[in-house]
Amino acid sequence: MKRNLALDRFRGMAVILMVAGNALSDMTDIPAFMRHTEDIGLSFADTIAPLFLFAIAASYRQSFLKHLRAFNAKAYLNYAYRYLALIGLGTIFSAGGALVSHETSWGVLQAIGMAGLLALPLLKFSPWVRLAAAGAMLAAYQLILDNFLLDAVLGSSHGGFFGSLAWGAMLILATVMLDFWQKGVRPFLAGSGALS
């Protein structure tokens, strides 16, 4: 498979925006739209994580399906290890941050790792199944927020462990959007079945 230069540039832009956004987050003299919202809302800075998840989704499903055809069920273990490694690295970085008094118990690597693990069991299914699963995840997440965990999620970096449910739903939705963009919606409306 040839390397997609546009995708590499998109990923690079997402990484640069994420690093810049995190570096600017502690500054008080920047405009509000350049900072994450402190409560419920949306700013430019809040769009960077979904952009990054979209960059991950751009190759995640296709790569996984290729490995699934070659290695069968072992592909699930390989991809689970990858995302568990991200969670582990994030935990090490969070511990290092705590040593220099920048306490973050849940960082972006943990959130991405959990999102990858949540999306993994759904990758082989059709976009409609993934869309329904992501919608159900977001509905459950909203119910949990409204009734129990809003303060805990808002008070945690990147939404904390429970915020990972939303990160996972975003990653799954991104795989659906990419399927529709690459193939159009019509082939999926023709009733190709639950598995694609």
Side-chain angles (χ1 to χ4, degrees):
M1 212 149 113
K2 279 179 72 177
R3 192 112 188 134
N4 187 330
L5 188 57
L7 181 56
D8 285 340
R9 288 177 178 155
F10 181 75
R11 285 185 184 126
M13 181 189 69
V15 169
I16 288 169
L17 286 172
M18 189 171 277
V19 169
N22 286 337
L24 294 173
S25 65
D26 293 334
M27 297 181 176
T28 56
D29 295 338
I30 61 169
F33 77 91
M34 293 295 291
R35 289 190 301 254
H36 289 291
T37 52
E38 291 182 24
D39 201 338
I40 299 168
L42 182 68
S43 70
F44 172 74
D46 295 324
T47 66
I48 297 171
L51 183 76
F52 195 78
L53 287 174
F54 189 82
I56 292 170
S59 60
Y60 185 21
R61 182 169 188 264
Q62 290 80 5
S63 175
F64 170 74
L65 291 176
K66 185 175 96 174
H67 282 87
L68 186 62
R69 285 189 294 274
F71 303 111
N72 296 318
K74 207 172 173 190
Y76 285 100
L77 283 176
N78 290 337
Y79 278 78
Y81 288 147
R82 287 181 188 190
Y83 285 100
L84 286 169
L86 278 179
I87 293 170
L89 279 172
T91 303
I92 291 168
F93 292 151
S94 293
L99 290 175
V100 293
S101 76
H102 186 269
E103 286 197 40
T104 301
S105 59
W106 192 260
V108 69
L109 291 179
Q110 288 105 316
I112 291 170
M114 284 298 295
L117 290 174
L118 290 169
L120 182 59
L122 297 165
L123 292 177
K124 74 175 187 174
F125 292 100
S126 76
W128 299 114
V129 171
R130 284 180 277 134
L131 183 62
M137 287 169 70
L138 287 174
Y141 180 68
Q142 190 62 51
L143 284 171
I144 291 168
L145 279 184
D146 290 344
N147 293 299
F148 309 108
L149 294 172
L150 183 61
D151 291 335
V153 168
L154 289 177
S156 301
S157 176
H158 304 291
F161 177 78
F162 294 105
S164 297
L165 189 59
W167 284 67
M170 280 193 296
L171 182 58
I172 295 165
L173 283 174
T175 67
V176 172
M177 289 171 53
L178 284 158
D179 274 358
F180 288 158
W181 175 69
Q182 290 171 341
K183 301 173 188 170
V185 177
R186 183 168 285 150
F188 299 111
L189 292 174
S192 61
L195 295 175
S196 60

